[in-house]
Amino acid sequence: MDILVEPDFVPPTQCAHLIAEFRRVSDLDAGSRKTTIRTELPAVALRRHGCLDLDPVRDRVLARLGWFYRVSGSLYLEYTLLSEMRAGDRHVLHADSERLDNGVWTPNHTPFRSHAAMLYLNTSGPAGDYRGGLLRFPGMGREISPTAGTLVGFTSGRAHQHEVTTVRDGIRYAVAFWLTPHRTHEEHWS
Ligand SMILES: O=C(O)CCC(=O)C(=O)O
Ligand SMILES: [Fe+2]
């Protein structure tokens, strides 16, 4: 199964605006979760604080993944999450809907997820905003270096196990969108 990589899904000016709004809202919303190396904010908080920019982006992400993966039935947005990863942060190898338990694949705490999309808000690399923070699919020999505005889509099961390499020298901003075929798990957005 292929990975969707679509550069320029969102223009750079809008990415910069989303970063600024994320920083503003994560300082005042009780829903933000902060550790020394990571801040996460349920994206619906942006909406509560007057930023509606993600509304059309969510609709476009849903349509794009449904088309790319030829999903014939219904598909819903399940969760939209903003993340800021600082130097030292990483995501170990995982799938989004199941996990390896003593060599046996078992549903994880979000088995209802079918697809994920990442929208990168800034850029990795020597000329970019941070070093590291690559999205890797070791089983497929694929490695994606985030650039501002690029959308990456993949499925939530074992076929698309992925990891994020350690972020160095900078801050990495992204929006994660998880999709589900189950209406009961649709995100309460408005
Ligand atoms: O930030 C990324 O590129 C991927 C994050 C991820 O895999 C996750 O949150 O499950
Ligand atoms: Fe993931």
Side-chain angles (χ1 to χ4, degrees), residues 38 40 81 83 85 91-92 94-96 113 116 118 120 133-135 146 154 162-164 172 174-176 178:
R38 188 184 301 175
E40 290 180 336
L81 182 72
S83 73
M85 297 172 70
H91 282 278
V92 298
H94 68 281
D96 289 340
R113 290 178 176 170
M118 298 301 308
Y120 296 109
L134 306 178
L135 178 65
F154 47 96
H162 54 282
E163 64 187 342
V164 178
R172 179 189 195 262
V175 191
W178 282 282

Side-chain angles (χ1 to χ4, degrees), residues 28-101:
L28 49 90
D29 194 89
S32 75
R33 297 185 287 271
K34 297 187 193 215
T35 68
T36 51
I37 51 176
R38 188 184 301 175
T39 299
E40 290 180 336
L41 179 73
V44 70
L46 285 197
R47 213 171 190 283
R48 279 200 298 269
H49 294 277
C51 173
L52 304 186
D53 288 40
L54 280 175
D55 289 24
V57 177
R58 288 171 84 253
D59 293 343
R60 289 174 55 227
V61 166
L62 192 57
R64 193 74 184 87
L65 265 77
W67 179 84
F68 186 79
Y69 287 108
R70 296 179 162 74
V71 179
S72 51
S74 301
L75 206 52
Y76 305 91
L77 282 148
E78 184 264 332
Y79 192 42
T80 314
L81 182 72
L82 290 150
S83 73
E84 172 184 308
M85 297 172 70
R86 294 183 287 277
D89 198 10
R90 64 194 279 257
H91 282 278
V92 298
L93 186 65
H94 68 281
D96 289 340
S97 67
E98 50 184 351
R99 67 189 155 85
L100 255 187
D101 208 359

Side-chain angles (χ1 to χ4, degrees), residues 1-10 64-65 67-69 116-120 135-137 140 142-155 160:
M1 211 146 11
D2 212 351
I3 298 168
L4 165 72
V5 180
E6 188 163 324
D8 305 313
F9 190 75
V10 164
R64 193 74 184 87
L65 265 77
W67 179 84
F68 186 79
Y69 287 108
M118 298 301 308
L119 173 64
Y120 296 109
L135 178 65
R136 293 186 67 234
F137 297 84
M140 308 177 82
R142 290 285 301 273
E143 187 170 89
I144 293 160
S145 183
T147 59
T150 296
L151 185 78
V152 179
F154 47 96
T155 65
H160 283 142

